[in-house]
Amino acid sequence: MALDTGGDTSLLLGSTDVPPVWEDNAAGGSPFLLTCDHYGRLTPQSLGDLGLPASELTRHIAWDIGIAGVAESLSRQLGAHLIAQRYSRLVIDCNRPPDAPSSIPRISEATVIPGNEGLAREAAALRRRAVFDPYHRRISEVIDRRLRDAVPTVLVSLHSFTAVYAGIARPWHIGTLYHRDTRLPPLLLKLLRDEPDLVVGDNEPYAVSDETDYTIPVHGEARGLMNSGIEIRQDLIADRAGQQQWAERLARIFGEIETMLRARGLL
Ligand SMILES: [Zn+2]
């Protein structure tokens, strides 16, 4: 699709594109602040389909399949503020430092992304200004306000992972992702491992690092918040029933965690 920005190259999102940030339960009273970096798979009209067939734009390379339904239901059940990002991570990955090579991937898994090849520095900066910056600015604003108002805040970053990556099947149903926080991740791991039917990954299938992640290092660790990422296997949350089941399970577990954190004086 041809570029259609009315000749104004400072615009990525046009009048028919939705804003990147989507929120739910902003007034919720839960200490858990939910983020969802890979919630959506939209592409701005000006970028068309990035040169990809629909079959690629619905795959895990474009977004975290199933996590939107889990995040919305979990947000409602906990009364937790959810901040989500609606554009595809193939436009710009909102959980990568913007200077990382994987921020706007030229190849994802084995798929070449034609719309990202040979991208000019200005075009990359435009995607950052239009999608990445508003999302992270909003998370920062919400954390600022909560800290100012002395509202207890625990950051939980929600993701999903493909069951098979580069031909390798993954055994975990769910994984925790963390780096520097020593308060929340052990509790979350313990309660997940108490569930008899789950294979739980400890920093599997991914671990958090400053080089490969953004949301947890910047909004969780640098702000001194308790935090963890969660990764749920996509085949378990491919339909509404699965999304609802996992949201209910996580709501129960986070309810127990809230009680434990309060008992320890951490909330
Ligand atoms: Zn993700």
Side-chain angles (χ1 to χ4, degrees):
M1 183 181 289
L3 283 173
D4 180 15
T5 55
D8 183 351
T9 54
S10 69
L11 294 178
L12 182 73
L13 302 180
S15 58
T16 57
D17 292 312
V18 297
V21 180
W22 190 86
E23 297 183 66
D24 206 359
N25 290 309
S30 169
F32 297 104
L33 173 62
L34 308 178
T35 58
C36 203
D37 306 334
H38 305 137
Y39 170 95
R41 59 177 185 82
L42 299 175
T43 55
Q45 199 165 5
S46 61
L47 298 183
D49 52 17
L50 293 169
L52 292 171
S55 57
E56 293 289 350
L57 288 170
T58 50
R59 238 156 61 74
H60 74 91
I61 62 170
W63 64 329
D64 280 1
I65 293 168
I67 204 63
V70 175
E72 289 169 6
S73 180
L74 182 61
S75 166
R76 278 194 295 273
Q77 291 183 53
L78 290 175
H81 190 170
L82 166 66
I83 307 176
Q85 202 292 104
R86 291 192 270 210
Y87 285 92
S88 171
R89 68 163 147 233
L90 298 178
V91 175
I92 185 166
D93 192 325
C94 282
N95 191 36
R96 295 282 181 277
D99 55 356
S102 55
S103 165
I104 300 176
R106 203 177 63 78
I107 298 177
S108 183
E109 201 170 11
T111 300
V112 173
I113 320 298
N116 292 349
E117 286 195 290
L119 201 64
R121 184 187 298 262
E122 297 74 30
L126 196 55
R127 295 193 195 183
R128 178 179 180 171
R129 283 202 300 277
V131 174
F132 183 96
D133 288 348
Y135 174 61
H136 288 292
R137 193 160 52 233
R138 181 60 185 149
I139 298 173
S140 293
E141 285 170 0
V142 167
I143 293 172
D144 286 346
R145 191 197 68 217
R146 293 176 72 116
L147 292 177
R148 191 177 62 236
D149 296 344
V151 175
T153 301
V154 180
L155 181 71
V156 176
S157 179
L158 298 167
H159 294 268
S160 69
F161 64 96
T162 183
V164 178
Y165 186 81
I168 308 290
R170 286 142 153 199
W172 313 280
H173 298 106
I174 187 167
T176 57
L177 297 86
Y178 57 93
H179 186 194
R180 298 182 176 92
D181 183 27
T182 57
R183 297 161 293 180
L184 177 62
L187 285 180
L188 183 55
L189 265 178
K190 180 190 180 320
L191 292 183
L192 288 172
R193 285 180 166 158
D194 285 348
E195 303 278 302
D197 56 332
L198 294 188
V199 178
V200 180
D202 179 354
N203 268 335
E204 297 279 9
Y206 303 108
V208 172
S209 77
D210 295 341
E211 293 72 36
T212 57
D213 292 82
Y214 192 89
T215 298
I216 283 183
V218 170
H219 299 297
E221 295 177 337
R223 304 300 296 266
L225 302 179
M226 288 184 272
N227 68 82
S228 182
I230 284 182
E231 291 266 6
I232 306 172
R233 207 175 69 203
Q234 289 168 359
D235 59 307
L236 306 174
I237 54 173
D239 61 19
R240 287 201 71 81
Q243 292 160 16
Q244 187 63 25
Q245 282 169 14
W246 276 86
E248 286 172 9
R249 191 198 291 255
L250 289 174
R252 169 169 54 77
I253 287 172
F254 278 116
E256 291 178 42
I257 287 175
E258 182 176 347
T259 301
M260 294 162 91
L261 292 175
R262 288 194 190 284
R264 296 177 186 189
L266 290 171
L267 288 179

